[in-house]
Amino acid sequence: MFNRSVRLVFTLASVLLLFAGQALAHTPLCSCYDNGDGTITCEGGFSDGSSASGVRMRVEKKDGGVLIEGKMDQDSEFSFDKPANAYNVVFDAGEGHQIEIDGGEIVE
């Protein structure tokens, strides 16, 4: 009986620790805007305030294929020439930390 209770407490504590780790995880944030001069600038970061410097960025054609690849700079920004055709912007900070923005929704 005692071993069963200890095992139950240990299991509950493990589950709580597992969820506490997820609660402390940082969420990626990214927004892009049209500069009005034929370029787009995206700003990124994480919900815990950490920088997105070095995070991979891609501009992809809507029908597939990569148009532009790069990384967020030291100010957590990424700028590129606005593509003529439909596109998506992908903020890629790794598995579970990706954001895809429809280029049609990027405005001045």
Side-chain angles (χ1 to χ4, degrees), residues 10-23:
F10 181 75
T11 301
L12 290 173
S14 297
V15 170
L16 288 174
L17 286 173
L18 177 68
F19 287 112
Q22 290 178 347

Side-chain angles (χ1 to χ4, degrees), residues 93-108:
E95 187 174 326
H97 290 85
Q98 294 182 342
I99 297 173
E100 186 169 319
I101 300 170
D102 184 330
E105 297 177 2
I106 298 173
V107 295
E108 288 184 46

Side-chain angles (χ1 to χ4, degrees), residues 64-76:
V66 176
L67 294 169
I68 302 166
E69 286 184 294
K71 293 182 178 181
M72 288 279 183
D73 67 15
Q74 63 187 15
D75 296 322
S76 297

